[in-house]
DNA sequence: CAGTTATTAGTATCAGGTGCTAAACGGAGG
DNA sequence: CCTCCGTTTAGCACCTGATACTAATAACTG
């Protein structure tokens, strides 16, 4: 049947966009013409166009994947006082194949903002404790707010609360340490 | 001069690998033939090959980011008792441009193994506390060992210790909850 | 059975190349 | 001056993974 084939086509290309029409024809046991026709109907661009787009995305976005998307966008920051960050969750952050978010993304956002809120070049987390309240769903935008509490010498206590709308997701407390680069590292 | 042109060629392609020979010829004010010759000498692959590589890197990295590389490989597992996982750290896991590992990778591995060690389909972290001991370096292989402690009903206490060789990196304690899929999710 | 839709084959064409050959340029040495 | 040699360029045949189009065939539907 036509629809089944087109569904399979979509799934195949989602899994691996770098397949030629010929290969697809082989997998779906139909002719190259049919594949092309299906692609035209489904508005799927040709292999080269798909490659081009991925490559472009890669060059522009892979760089930012490091310290933006995983970690959230810093919305507001008042150093050594408080900060606010937003994390748009995506389907690839899901726990297995559910629509529940992996807890380590919540943690990553929280820990990152805890580090960001402390005004120093090199800050690392010493220890933490936290509690997950309600489970965020894929697609939710996580808003994390960090507040700096008391600090002694180079240790700062930072509280982080993460919400989705009115829903409380995570509450945690981090001890962030300022590392003075006297010794190693660049 | 020949060398200057080839240097410029390399720089141009580093900045933007998605340029055709024709465009390069225009920029460098020489013929397409010359560009091809230079590329051959410098062992620079053609546009399509460059695109293909970037796209592959993008897709392989995006896919593996999910539940393999971030989270480590499960080496041994005795359900509801203990488990061992290894995480090979890469330069893109670094904190800014240093050779220190971001703490959330350590956390992700620890939390993942804590979830994996509990024998149930759907397990999530309820709360955690932990302490980072020494800082791992990029390239280190993190070995995380999880031990299941006491459990009441659906809550399991899981201790995780992460090491690099003899060096202790992280010690933590997670409370993992088994979620009975009565209600939502697949 | 005809009529319609779905599938396939086949041809010409395109972009962005490779690989090869041949020609033109351009400066140094005899 | 010409000759030699490295450099640059032009031209052509060919490749892949497509597009666009036509025509033929297969498969159902009433």
């Amino acid at each position: 049947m036509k629809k089944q084939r087109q569904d399979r086509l979509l799934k195949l290309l989602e899994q691996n966009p770098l397949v030629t029409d010929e290969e697809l024809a082989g997998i779906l046991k139909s002719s190259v013409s049919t594949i092309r026709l299906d692609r035209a109907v489904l508005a799927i661009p040709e292999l080269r166009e798909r490659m081009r787009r991925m490559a472009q995305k890669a060059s522009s976005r892979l760089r930012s994947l490091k310290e933006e998307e995983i970690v959230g966008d810093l919305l507001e920051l008042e150093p050594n006082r408080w900060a606010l960050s937003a994390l748009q969750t995506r389907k690839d952050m899901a726990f297995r194949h559910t629509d529940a978010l992996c807890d380590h993304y919540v943690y990553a956002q929280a820990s990152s903002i805890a580090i960001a809120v402390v005004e120093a070049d090199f800050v690392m987390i010493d220890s933490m404790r936290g509690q997950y309240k309600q489970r965020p769903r894929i697609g939710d935008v996580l808003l994390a707010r960090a507040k700096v509490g008391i600090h002694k010498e180079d240790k700062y206590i930072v509280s982080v609360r993460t919400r989705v709308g009115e829903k409380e997701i995570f509450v945690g407390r981090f001890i962030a340490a300022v590392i003075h680069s006297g010794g190693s590292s660049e």
Side-chain angles (χ1 to χ4, degrees), chain A:
Chain A
M1 198 126 233
K2 194 173 161 187
K3 262 205 169 161
Q4 286 187 348
R5 190 188 56 232
Q6 296 188 343
D7 285 350
R8 286 227 289 152
L9 182 69
L10 280 169
K11 275 178 201 162
L12 279 168
L13 285 177
E14 197 173 343
Q15 278 174 23
N16 175 14
L18 305 180
V19 197
T20 64
D21 288 355
E22 211 154 343
E23 290 168 325
L24 288 167
I27 297 167
L28 299 177
K29 292 194 177 175
S30 63
S31 69
V32 176
S33 306
T34 308
I35 298 298
R36 305 237 223 264
L37 212 147
D38 284 345
R39 271 204 303 104
V41 169
L42 299 172
I44 299 170
E46 60 167 318
L47 168 65
R48 279 156 184 165
E49 180 60 21
R50 297 195 301 269
M51 281 206 305
R52 215 181 53 74
R53 290 186 190 179
M54 292 178 67
Q56 271 200 328
K57 225 182 236 179
S59 64
S60 70
R61 210 154 286 182
L62 253 185
R63 237 158 273 157
S64 64
L65 231 172
K66 285 182 60 172
E67 294 209 58
E68 277 178 82
E69 296 198 41
I70 275 193
V71 142
D73 296 315
L74 202 59
L75 300 182
E76 293 181 68
L77 172 66
E78 200 166 317
N80 285 342
R81 298 182 67 84
W82 60 273
L84 185 66
S85 117
L87 175 65
Q88 171 69 57
T89 58
R90 298 181 315 256
K91 60 183 175 306
D92 59 276
M93 300 178 174
F95 177 65
R96 292 182 200 172
H97 302 289
T98 68
D99 66 340
L101 190 73
C102 267
D103 62 293
H104 57 251
Y105 291 103
V106 178
Y107 175 89
Q109 183 192 19
S111 131
S112 300
I113 196 176
I115 288 171
V117 78
V118 175
E119 190 177 29
D121 286 338
F122 201 70
V123 181
M124 305 229 75
I125 300 299
D126 237 46
S127 67
M128 85 296 181
R129 67 171 66 186
Q131 209 171 342
Y132 295 92
K133 304 292 190 177
Q134 295 183 64
R135 288 289 146 196
R137 301 280 159 208
I138 294 308
D140 286 352
V141 176
L142 303 188
L143 276 177
R145 184 178 298 274
K147 281 183 195 152
V148 178
I150 53 171
H151 70 275
K152 303 175 197 163
E153 291 169 43
D154 289 334
K155 309 269 190 182
Y156 289 72
I157 292 184
V158 183
S159 303
V160 180
R161 292 187 106 80
T162 305
R163 288 178 300 109
V164 170
E166 290 304 301
K167 208 166 65 176
E168 188 140 78
I169 299 297
F170 171 80
V171 180
R173 188 175 286 250
F174 295 79
I175 297 181
V178 176
I179 313 287
H180 298 290
S181 46
S184 58
S185 304
E186 308 159 331

